[in-house]
Amino acid sequence: MTKRTVQFKIYRYDPDKDEKPYMQDISVELEPSDKKLLDALVRLRAKDDSMSFRRSCREGVCGSDAMNINGKNGLACLTDVDSLQQPITLRPLPGLPVIRDLIVDMTQFFKQYHSIKPYLVNNDPPPERERLQSPEDREELNGLYECILCACCSTSCPSFWWNPDKFVGPAGLLAAYRFLADTRDQDTGARLDNLEDPYRLFRCHTIMNCVDVCPKGLNPTRAIGKIKDMMVRRAI
Amino acid sequence: MNVAKRTFDAVIVGAGGAGLRAALQLSEAGLKTAVLTKVFPTRSHTVAAQGGVAASLGNSTEDNWHWHMYDTVKGSDWLGDQDAIEFMCKKANEVVIELEHYGMPFDRTDNGKIYQRPFGGHSMNYGQAPVMRSCAAADRTGHAMLHALYQRNVRANTQFFVEWMALDLIRDADGDVLGVTAMEMETGEVSIFHAKATIFATGGAGRIYYSSTNAFINTGDGVGMAARAGIPLEDMEFWQFHPTGVAGAGVLITEGVRGEGGILRNAQGERFMERYAPNLKDLASRDVVSRAMTTEINEGRGCGPDKDHVLLDITHLAPDTIMKRLPGIREIAIQFAGVDPIKAPIPVVPTCHYQMGGIPTNYKGQVVVPKDGNPNSPVAGFYAAGECACASVHGANRLGTNSLLDLLVFGKSAGETVVEDFQSGQLKLKPLPADAADVSLARLARLDGQTNGESVFDVGLEMRRTMQKHAGVFRFDNLLKEGVQKIGEVAERAKRTEIKDKSKVWNVARMEALELDNLIEVARATMVSAEARKESRGAHVRDDAPDTAENPNGRDDANWLKHTLWYSEGDRLDYKPVNLKPLSDDVEPIALAKRTY
């Protein structure tokens, strides 16, 4: 890769000084080693230190730098900057209140995650050694436990946009199924009760934006389908 | 500025593995606890650990804690304290089993037990052959662990202050610790967190180097705060360079890749580790492998057009094994190296990874400093665990998978000690000094008022380049001497950084400037301590301390079998003895010997 200049159009808003948000046109020269969108944003920050966004691991496991990139949610650290059409348009994740620039208030997102009781429930006295689980049973958790809580999915979901307080959203439901699918968990009944409601689970209309945007290649829609199956099986 | 005061039984700074494990202990005991974290807990850098956590469960090969202890002492090049190492290795099974009970999705053996894989430097029967000791969840062990610990804390109703950055440690005239000052990112407001006990679990500072596997947030905040408050830092010359960072990008490729059968090759395709470590080969200790790789590159056997890296080859493994045991690595290789490891080897170079030194503690998690002739006198109210602390279990070189174990064992231990001290009535809420927040407010006022200063980005870059050049895998007397002077100059420049952004709301520039203050403490400690240590030991290898009959591997036990203590004020150095005596009579001291693999 060589040096090249990249054009951006970035959502800016600092409540401390801006009356309202605006889109800023800005360009930056990238070094040959700058490959990912996050590299470009770090380069931009060296030029304008007021450009605000979250970031940490820069390798797609911490879930900090989710944003809306040319209209689609994704992680800046896993997006090749040269693959993007210019000007690269960056906005905060849709549907959540903006704190500043590309930083959103994720309170509602985490509230929904917490609402599904995201922890293993097993009321048997803990054995001296590990609880046994067959490799096949453990495999049921693949595609579920890898979620990094970046919120790309929930904030691309129209059902979540409309009812962020009532619909758990794809990330929370993926986590709910992660515990329903765990052979060590004993709380299946209560977990299903917790979701048996016109909104919490059933507002998923299988639009599948969540699957389309997940940077980890996970499939919340499938997990939601499996919870619905469990509901049906329980009812008959 | 108006400074709010909040009062707690205990305040924990940091919500990675160590902070979350300590928090659990406190929450479940009913202590009123605040956990401050500058990122949402699951974004902490524990999340990036890949290969596993050590415990001698013996699920696939025979194993016991004596062998684990021997490997750890040997790995530390005898600089680790044997009481703390015994404590850690003995507790390993307990804390790993607890984690499984919390719901951690470990991989499984055919009979349903926790899956274990071989790892560098871990052996059976005192160095004879590789052992399967690393308990793994695919190659995402840290992610699975951090989420399980966070989830358990949700269950325990732990009170988090998310996106609060701790600024300074509060000590009174007696030197006792009374809490911290902290800034809420969303509002820029500063608060005092006044507590009977303060636990630091703030992680490492790998971002002092130019090429690092570490996250942006790994800026040594706790270590910097402690140093500024007069606490010495222990063994800061010892930094682990992980053998396999992706060339150019720095992103980590787990040692678990070699545990699953991966091989390092030079430009001739040779498995060069056979020459350096005939017994454990590619699974020798990390310092040994990183030096071997650097030697191969320095002697012209590096790969690529610039001959600047070696190759990590797993093309001989079954694609199924790669997909099942190393799926995350495959993603990383495709994303950051542009190769699918099923088809082509991954270009790798030694990359700064882990801080062996830190805030001096004992095995109970109490911070200890020299006082009245006792080299290990506890500081009242102050505890530390995880990478920011130096217990010291890793000594001069950490074994892979012992870091996740460290944060579990000592996170729990620090938590238990606080609970005991609290319940025995030993912990008092001492009155805050009138100037408790003054240092922090002055730092913030300086930043807000600074004109004609340098950018944080530029000064930070100079620091990282200086560390990379002057305190790397191999160390040279002249470079270290020059490095001490250069890092001193960078530290002066850091006092005059200027930020253009003055907003109160989520001001990243301000955060990065404050982080640089912490990084600078760590960089100075590292350079000064490294320059002074005139021997080779573990990860600290000098050209003027070569392998001789008198000093095997350049290690000089007669003069340097001791811990470094660096004080920020005046770059003063002090030393204290290594504890060569185990905690109990269950085990004999591991006798000094030459380290070979």
Side-chain angles (χ1 to χ4, degrees), chain B residues 486-497:
Chain B
K486 278 195 180 172
I487 214 71
E489 287 162 14
V490 175
E492 285 305 311
R493 289 167 60 185
K495 291 178 184 164
R496 297 187 307 272
T497 49

Side-chain angles (χ1 to χ4, degrees), chain A residues 14-16 36 38 42-43 45-46 49-50 52-59 61-64 77-78 99-100 103 106 110 113-114 118-120 126-135 138-139 141 145-150 178-179 182 184 216, chain B residues 40 42-43 47-48 57 59 97 100-114 138 140 143 147 150-151 154-155 163 186 207 212-217 249-251 324 331 335-336 457 499-501 503-509 512:
Chain A
D14 175 4
D16 217 21
K36 301 294 180 186
L38 180 61
V42 169
R43 201 64 66 189
R45 272 194 54 73
D49 71 6
S50 72
S52 303
F53 53 91
R54 293 186 178 102
R55 82 283 177 272
S56 182
C57 75
R58 60 85 167 85
E59 58 189 54
V61 292
C62 79
S64 298
C77 61
L78 292 186
I99 295 175
R100 177 177 176 177
I103 296 172
M106 297 185 73
F110 287 121
Y113 173 69
H114 293 150
Y119 45 82
L120 193 87
E128 263 180 48
R129 290 286 302 226
E130 63 264 54
R131 294 197 163 97
L132 299 181
Q133 186 173 50
S134 71
R138 165 61 184 78
E139 253 175 55
L141 307 182
Y145 81 94
E146 301 93 324
C147 173
I148 58 174
L149 299 174
C150 65
R178 177 251 173 272
F179 290 99
D182 195 322
R184 299 168 296 174
K216 305 307 284 181
Chain B
F40 184 80
T42 62
R43 321 241 186 265
V47 81
L57 294 171
N59 286 352
I97 295 295
E100 195 281 328
H101 293 166
Y102 296 166
M104 168 128 171
F106 282 110
D107 284 6
R108 299 289 169 157
T109 62
D110 286 340
N111 57 13
K113 294 179 179 175
I114 292 172
R140 306 186 178 99
H143 170 278
H147 281 253
Y150 176 67
Q151 290 160 353
V154 171
R155 178 182 180 269
E163 293 177 342
E186 190 175 338
R207 283 270 158 181
S212 172
T213 65
N214 283 200
F216 281 96
I217 58 168
V251 174
K324 192 170 172 193
E331 277 173 38
Q335 271 280 352
F336 293 95
F457 186 87
I499 55 173
K500 304 285 183 207
D501 183 4
S503 175
K504 284 196 204 51
V505 181
W506 240 103
N507 189 324
V508 182
E512 288 182 346

Side-chain angles (χ1 to χ4, degrees), chain B residues 30-306:
Chain B
L31 270 66
K32 191 184 174 204
T33 306
V35 182
L36 308 186
T37 171
K38 65 177 176 177
V39 294
F40 184 80
T42 62
R43 321 241 186 265
S44 309
H45 197 54
T46 303
V47 81
Q50 297 172 352
V53 50
S56 55
L57 294 171
N59 286 352
S60 293
T61 53
E62 187 189 345
D63 203 3
N64 62 65
W65 67 262
H66 290 267
W67 295 352
H68 186 189
M69 177 175 172
Y70 169 82
D71 291 337
T72 303
V73 172
K74 176 180 168 185
S76 82
D77 218 345
W78 277 268
L79 193 69
D81 288 325
Q82 296 198 18
D83 57 342
I85 294 175
E86 180 193 346
F87 183 78
M88 179 177 82
C89 296
K90 249 183 178 169
K91 284 268 182 191
N93 289 8
E94 171 191 317
V95 293
V96 168
I97 295 295
E98 270 172 359
L99 205 58
E100 195 281 328
H101 293 166
Y102 296 166
M104 168 128 171
F106 282 110
D107 284 6
R108 299 289 169 157
T109 62
D110 286 340
N111 57 13
K113 294 179 179 175
I114 292 172
Y115 169 77
Q116 298 185 280
R117 60 162 60 111
F119 235 79
H122 289 281
S123 72
M124 57 171 78
N125 210 8
Y126 308 102
Q128 283 195 348
V131 71
M132 293 168 84
R133 187 178 288 149
S134 169
C135 310
D139 53 2
R140 306 186 178 99
T141 311
H143 170 278
M145 176 184 286
L146 189 67
H147 281 253
L149 285 171
Y150 176 67
Q151 290 160 353
R152 188 74 175 183
N153 272 282
V154 171
R155 178 182 180 269
N157 227 352
T158 300
Q159 188 178 1
F160 289 101
F161 290 77
V162 175
E163 293 177 342
W164 281 74
M165 184 183 176
L167 301 177
D168 287 287
L169 190 66
I170 301 172
R171 300 180 78 185
D172 67 7
D174 301 329
D176 296 355
V177 168
L178 308 183
V180 292
T181 52
M183 181 176 69
E184 184 181 31
M185 291 306 300
E186 190 175 338
T187 61
E189 299 294 329
V190 175
S191 283
I192 289 174
F193 286 77
H194 186 198
K196 294 177 184 174
T198 302
I199 303 179
F200 272 12
T202 51
R207 283 270 158 181
I208 61 169
Y209 283 92
Y210 185 75
S211 172
S212 172
T213 65
N214 283 200
F216 281 96
I217 58 168
N218 288 24
T219 54
D221 296 344
V223 182
M225 284 189 273
R228 279 196 303 276
I231 305 281
L233 303 183
E234 180 174 347
D235 293 340
M236 291 301 291
E237 60 271 45
F238 298 99
W239 282 86
Q240 177 156 85
F241 288 81
H242 195 291
T244 54
V246 172
V251 174
L252 175 70
I253 299 284
T254 175
E255 192 169 287
V257 170
R258 283 170 283 140
E260 296 289 347
I263 290 169
L264 290 164
R265 297 187 190 281
N266 61 20
Q268 287 130 34
E270 182 204 6
R271 184 182 192 181
F272 57 86
M273 279 313 300
E274 288 179 330
R275 279 188 277 120
Y276 297 88
N279 194 19
L280 292 186
K281 302 187 180 77
D282 300 89
L283 284 177
S285 225
R286 285 180 180 172
D287 58 334
V288 173
V289 179
S290 282
R291 278 196 292 276
M293 290 167 67
T294 307
T295 302
E296 290 299 300
I297 293 166
N298 288 348
E299 292 180 357
R301 291 185 294 279
C303 306
D306 299 327

Side-chain angles (χ1 to χ4, degrees), chain B residues 216-532:
Chain B
F216 281 96
I217 58 168
N218 288 24
T219 54
D221 296 344
V223 182
M225 284 189 273
R228 279 196 303 276
I231 305 281
L233 303 183
E234 180 174 347
D235 293 340
M236 291 301 291
E237 60 271 45
F238 298 99
W239 282 86
Q240 177 156 85
F241 288 81
H242 195 291
T244 54
V246 172
V251 174
L252 175 70
I253 299 284
T254 175
E255 192 169 287
V257 170
R258 283 170 283 140
E260 296 289 347
I263 290 169
L264 290 164
R265 297 187 190 281
N266 61 20
Q268 287 130 34
E270 182 204 6
R271 184 182 192 181
F272 57 86
M273 279 313 300
E274 288 179 330
R275 279 188 277 120
Y276 297 88
N279 194 19
L280 292 186
K281 302 187 180 77
D282 300 89
L283 284 177
S285 225
R286 285 180 180 172
D287 58 334
V288 173
V289 179
S290 282
R291 278 196 292 276
M293 290 167 67
T294 307
T295 302
E296 290 299 300
I297 293 166
N298 288 348
E299 292 180 357
R301 291 185 294 279
C303 306
D306 299 327
K307 297 174 176 291
D308 58 357
H309 60 265
V310 301
L311 294 173
L312 176 58
D313 186 4
I314 50 171
T315 53
H316 54 288
L317 299 188
D320 271 2
T321 306
I322 297 173
M323 299 297 279
K324 192 170 172 193
R325 300 293 183 206
L326 305 166
I329 287 309
R330 182 166 178 253
E331 277 173 38
I332 285 174
I334 291 170
Q335 271 280 352
F336 293 95
V339 297
D340 182 345
I342 292 176
K343 298 181 193 129
I346 311 166
V348 290
V349 285
T351 305
C352 174
H353 183 57
Y354 188 87
Q355 166 192 311
M356 261 81 73
I359 302 168
T361 67
N362 57 23
Y363 73 92
K364 293 175 173 174
Q366 295 171 307
V367 175
V368 292
V369 297
K371 195 181 175 185
D372 304 332
N374 174 6
N376 294 303
S377 170
V379 177
F382 196 23
Y383 308 78
E387 191 171 342
C388 75
C390 183
S392 142
V393 285
H394 310 306
N397 170 67
R398 174 175 72 78
L399 297 187
T401 69
N402 268 353
S403 59
L404 290 186
L405 179 61
D406 170 350
L407 58 83
L408 287 175
V409 169
F410 295 105
K412 181 177 182 183
S413 177
E416 282 177 336
T417 308
V418 168
V419 171
E420 278 166 27
D421 291 351
F422 178 80
Q423 286 170 349
S424 71
Q426 206 176 307
L427 288 172
K428 302 270 187 283
L429 193 69
K430 293 183 75 181
L432 280 172
D435 61 352
D438 287 8
V439 172
S440 300
L441 296 179
R443 289 173 68 206
L444 292 169
R446 200 281 296 165
L447 264 180
D448 280 340
Q450 183 74 49
T451 51
N452 297 319
E454 279 189 86
S455 88
V456 173
F457 186 87
D458 290 343
V459 179
L461 191 61
E462 188 61 26
M463 173 196 64
R464 286 186 271 278
R465 287 197 172 135
T466 305
M467 294 309 296
Q468 195 77 25
K469 181 175 170 196
H470 293 267
V473 173
F474 285 107
R475 293 166 178 192
F476 304 88
D477 187 54
N478 59 332
L479 279 179
L480 287 167
K481 285 201 166 77
E482 226 176 270
V484 169
Q485 192 202 332
K486 278 195 180 172
I487 214 71
E489 287 162 14
V490 175
E492 285 305 311
R493 289 167 60 185
K495 291 178 184 164
R496 297 187 307 272
T497 49
E498 180 183 351
I499 55 173
K500 304 285 183 207
D501 183 4
K502 311 286 188 192
S503 175
K504 284 196 204 51
V505 181
W506 240 103
N507 189 324
V508 182
R510 183 176 291 139
M511 181 174 81
E512 288 182 346
L514 295 166
E515 288 173 338
L516 182 64
D517 291 346
N518 296 323
L519 286 164
I520 287 286
E521 296 290 332
V522 177
R524 285 172 53 217
T526 299
M527 199 68 87
V528 171
S529 305
E531 193 278 326

